[in-house]
Structures are given as structure tokens and as C-alpha cells.
Amino acid sequence: MRLSLSWKWVIASLLIESLMLTLMVIKNVNQLEINLSAQTNVRLDEQKILLKSALVAPLVQMDYATINAILNETKNILTIDYLAVVDNQNNCISTVGLKDCLKLPEKELNPFSKESLEDERFDTNIPITLFSESLGKIYLGLSTKFYVQAKKEMITRSIIIAIMELILSAILLITVSKWIIKNLVKLTHSADAIARGDYSQRINLGNSKETIELQESFNLMARNIEKSILDLKHLNQKEKELFEELKSQVKINHEQDILLKHQSRMVIIGEMLNNIAHQWRQPLSAITVQMSGLKLRKELDLIEDEEIENTADSVMKYANYLSNTIDDFRDYVKDYNSKKEYFNIETSLNKALDIVSVSLENNFITLNIEHSENELLVDGVINELTQVFINILNNSKDILNENNIQEKLIEIKFLKENNKITITIQDNAGGVKEDIIHKIFDPYFTTKYNNQGTGIGLYMSAKIIHEHFLGQIIVKNENIEFNNKTYKGAKFFIILPL
């Protein structure tokens, strides 16, 4: 059974309070022992003075009747268990309350030592002297029952008080915790609902000064997410409509190429949607964690206005991040049919990485890029070259996962020489089998397991490079070094004229 945060707070508070009450009882018992010990020592000193002064004369005169009378009178004190007087030769003169005078108890130092408490008696003796001459000793036994009884009564009374206090505290804590977390529970439930796909969620936390800013920020984030999702669905719908329109308008001899082009686009869009899902998962999880943290600090009564403001700013930052992700997708779709122009190849690569980098990171693939010192400008449509990069990177990612490579690597290099730009993209997945390497740019040819591939990604990449950029794309199997190990992998060469 999982406990809510409110119950955990109540239990933790009660445990802390129980510990404090236990420490208080221990402290009181120790203080009781100190106080009683001081009182016992004072009374013992008084008895010593009285007995010594009273017994000196009878001992000198050997008046045993008087000694016996003094002992009987002293024995009437409730805290005295026994009395015994011996002469300077340790011969027993008189005893009261002690059966055997031949075996007198040994002297104890502490009235509340373990031995004194076990037999409920503190044994001591007092030397009786006259002008520094020893006349004998008086043995005295003080009862410690009064301390044991006082200790039991204190512990019993403290336990009863502690139980009553814990019951009242539990009732108060439960009432306060339910009042505190009511709005935070609403916030958490709404955040969970959004994370599960219900983007219409809105919250109303009342008019509390501490929560109104958080309410407004959360609802703004929810509206932005809902709008972004609707835009994404609208773009997807427009893409489908465009596909139907193109399919009905193209000529018969171009129908297959256009279909292949669209299928390639849909594969990339599907990959982009998958990557967007990965990119959204972390911000949504972070929002949920921050809301839970805020809720917990509210339950512990540690929340401050500055924290609420900081959390609201963080939520807004994540909302803007989600919105920017949709903008990247919209730009890719919108600019695909742009006119040819000169653009930087590394800009095209960065657009591709904006789409696939999260997928590469989630698959623990190391990406090494050796940038060129020269400006790499080519004439063409930037999104077409971006599509080529996405196809090759996704192909490398899939084959690295399919071959279960432990240390995964994709390496990208740029070289500008002799009026041409050469781009190489190599992985360490083991390379392409030599008997099929010449087929990988053929339409509908795929090596992916269980027909998971469409066989059009590399075909469309080759078609774009050959027809739209008047370049070349080839693949070879070459060795590559990574983490002091040598691997074999497929290396794609994209050669573009200047």
C-alpha cells in the first residue's frame, strides 16, 4: 500500500515528536536521579552528624542501653533500613533491622548505583572518633525504594501525557495537511493528465496570493501545449491532403517517383514525431517533478513566494521549449518546397540534428563531428539535403541497434578541395555485406530485420544528390578507431560540386 505525501508527513512528524518526548522523559528521569541523589547526600550528612554526636558519649562510657535506644529511635525514620554499631575492634555492640551482625555490608559510594537499586538499599558506614581516636563505626542502610517508586510514577505519568499529546498532534496534523495539499493535489493531477495526453486540462486554485501566479503559469503552459498539438495535427492533415492532391495531379510517368518521394517524407515525419515525443517526455516529466517538489515543500510548510515564482518561471521555460519543438517541425514542413539558393551545408546538418539528436542520445550513440575551417556553400534546397542527412543518420542508428553494438559511434567529416565538397558519414556497425553493397541505393531494397524498413530512404537520398545537386553518393566499408578499438563500418561519401 502506497502512502500519500500528507500521511508520510504526518507519520514523520509524529515519529519526530515521539523521539523528542522520549528524550524529554529520559532527561526528566536523569534530573530526578540528580535531585534525589543531592537530597539523599544532604540527609545522609545530617544523619552522620547527629549519630556521631549522639553516640560518642555512650561509646566512651560503654552505655549499651543508650546506644540501643538511639538506634531504635533513628530506625523510626522511614528511609532507614538498618543500623549497627561496632567498637574499634569491630565487635558488634548493637543492631536494629539487621539479623546478622557478624557479616556487615560493604560500603557503597553511590546511592543510585546498580547494586543499590537491585537490593533497594544504599549501604554506608560512619567512623566515630574522639580527639582523632577511633571509638568504632556505625553501619547505616538507606532505602532506595522511594527512588524506584518515584521513577516508575514519573515514567507512567510521562507516557500517559505523551500518548495524549501524540493523539492530539495526529488529529491536528491530519487536518492541516489535508487543508494544505488540497490545491497541490489538483495541480499534480492536472499535470499527470497532460503528461498522459489530456491537453484540455485547466486548474483553478482559488484566489490565494501564494498560488494565483502558479495557476496562471500552469494554465498558460497547458494552452500552449494544446495549441501546439492542434497545429501538429493540422500540419499532418495538410500533409496528407497534399499527398492526395499530388497523387491526383502528377503525370503517369512521374507517379512512382512522386510516390516514393512522399513515402520518404512520411517516414521522416514519422521519425520526427517520434523524436518530438522523446523531446517532450523530459520537459513534461520535469514539470511533474517540480510540481511534486512544490507540493512536498508546501506540506512541510517550507514554501516561499520566491520558490513559487521560480517554479512558475521554470514551467514557462519548459512550455516555450515545447513550443519551439513544434516550430522546428513546422519550419521543416513549410520550407520543403522552397526555391534553390546558396546555403551552408553545416546549417543543413544542424537542422537534421535538431530532429534526430534526441533519438541518437536515447540510443546511446556517440556523434563526432569534425567541422571544416572553410565556409561550405552549395546551391540547392536546404531541406532536401537535410532529408539526405536524416536518412543516412537514421539508417546508421537502426543498423547499430540491430547489430547490438555496445559502444556506438557515428562520425561526420567535411572536406573542401578541387572545386568540390566531400561529406563523409561513417558508423561502426560492421559494414554492409559485400554481396549487397551495390544494391543499397535501389528502390524498395532494405536489409532491416523483419521488413521494418521501406527501402526508399537511401534511394531518395541518391536521387536528390544526383538530380538536384548534380553530385555523387557512394558507400564503402572501412575501418574506424573508437575508444582505442578498431571497428569496421559503412562509410557514405556525399560529393557535391561547387
Side-chain angles (χ1 to χ4, degrees), residues 274-466:
N274 183 53
N275 290 330
I276 288 173
H278 282 294
Q279 288 174 292
W280 279 18
R281 187 172 290 113
Q282 181 179 359
L284 290 176
S285 298
I287 291 170
T288 302
V289 168
Q290 289 190 352
M291 295 300 102
S292 300
L294 193 64
K295 170 185 172 183
L296 178 59
R297 291 187 65 82
K298 183 68 175 178
E299 291 175 345
L300 297 177
D301 200 23
L302 299 176
I303 195 167
E304 297 179 359
D305 291 343
E306 183 179 357
E307 276 188 85
I308 296 176
E309 183 177 353
N310 292 337
T311 303
D313 292 340
S314 179
V315 169
M316 285 298 301
K317 181 184 73 175
Y318 285 121
N320 291 332
Y321 173 79
L322 297 175
S323 178
N324 292 337
T325 304
I326 295 301
D327 290 340
D328 292 341
F329 176 77
R330 184 188 296 112
D331 291 342
Y332 178 81
V333 176
K334 180 179 66 176
D335 296 338
Y336 186 76
N337 294 317
S338 301
K339 295 181 180 180
K340 294 179 66 176
E341 60 181 2
Y342 280 95
F343 64 91
N344 193 315
I345 293 176
E346 293 196 27
T347 301
S348 175
L349 175 63
N350 290 334
K351 292 184 68 174
L353 294 179
D354 287 342
I355 296 171
V356 304
S357 60
V358 172
S359 179
L360 298 180
E361 292 173 2
N362 290 338
N363 287 279
F364 306 102
I365 297 174
T366 300
L367 181 64
N368 288 340
I369 302 176
E370 293 187 11
H371 298 280
S372 173
E373 296 180 355
N374 301 313
E375 189 175 25
L376 307 176
L377 298 178
V378 293
D379 184 25
V381 178
I382 186 171
N383 273 359
E384 290 184 341
L385 186 57
T386 299
Q387 181 177 346
V388 174
F389 286 134
I390 292 174
N391 286 336
I392 296 176
L393 291 172
N394 283 337
N395 188 75
S396 293
K397 177 197 71 176
D398 292 339
I399 197 66
L400 284 166
N401 289 332
E402 183 178 326
N403 291 345
N404 295 319
I405 304 300
Q406 296 300 316
E407 296 181 326
K408 305 170 187 176
L409 171 69
I410 297 178
E411 186 177 82
I412 303 175
K413 296 182 179 180
F414 300 90
L415 178 65
K416 181 179 181 181
E417 62 179 2
N418 300 329
N419 294 323
K420 66 180 180 181
I421 297 173
T422 302
I423 309 159
T424 61
I425 304 175
Q426 184 176 8
D427 57 54
N428 64 337
V432 186
K433 294 180 180 179
E434 294 296 335
D435 58 339
I436 62 171
I437 195 170
H438 62 283
K439 299 180 180 179
I440 65 172
F441 294 113
D442 293 345
Y444 301 112
F445 178 79
T446 180
T447 61
K448 293 182 180 177
Y449 177 75
N450 200 22
N451 295 324
Q452 293 180 358
T454 60
I456 61 174
L458 292 179
Y459 167 74
M460 288 304 302
S461 297
K463 189 175 181 65
I464 289 171
I465 296 300
H466 293 156

Side-chain angles (χ1 to χ4, degrees), residues 127-258:
I128 302 174
T129 60
L130 179 63
F131 302 117
S132 301
E133 181 180 351
S134 176
L135 301 178
K137 290 182 181 179
I138 178 168
Y139 285 81
L140 177 66
L142 295 178
S143 174
T144 58
K145 292 181 180 179
F146 68 94
Y147 167 72
V148 175
Q149 183 63 28
K151 181 179 179 181
K152 290 180 179 178
E153 290 178 358
M154 174 173 284
I155 292 176
T156 302
R157 186 166 56 252
S158 298
I159 290 175
I160 294 173
I161 294 174
I163 291 174
M164 294 178 62
E165 185 173 344
L166 287 174
I167 292 173
L168 293 175
S169 297
I171 295 173
L172 179 61
L173 287 170
I174 291 172
T175 303
V176 172
S177 65
K178 289 185 177 296
W179 178 77
I180 289 176
I181 69 169
K182 178 178 64 176
N183 286 335
L184 294 178
V185 169
K186 291 182 183 179
L187 189 63
T188 303
H189 288 169
S190 297
D192 289 340
I194 290 177
R196 290 192 299 267
D198 184 7
Y199 304 108
S200 62
Q201 283 288 324
R202 301 293 184 271
I203 58 173
N204 183 6
L205 302 180
N207 297 322
S208 172
K209 180 180 179 181
E210 291 79 7
T211 57
I212 190 66
E213 293 183 4
L214 183 60
Q215 170 185 315
E216 293 175 352
S217 298
F218 185 90
N219 288 337
L220 177 60
M221 177 204 69
R223 287 192 294 271
N224 288 339
I225 292 176
E226 185 177 24
K227 181 178 180 299
S228 299
I229 292 297
L230 292 175
D231 290 343
L232 182 61
K233 291 181 178 179
H234 179 68
L235 289 172
N236 193 32
Q237 182 63 32
K238 287 186 66 176
E239 186 69 20
K240 291 180 181 179
E241 293 173 358
L242 177 62
F243 169 64
E244 295 298 331
E245 181 180 348
L246 288 174
K247 194 168 64 172
S248 63
Q249 292 178 357
V250 295
K251 295 180 181 179
I252 296 177
N253 58 336
H254 291 152
E255 185 174 0
Q256 184 179 14
D257 285 343
I258 294 176

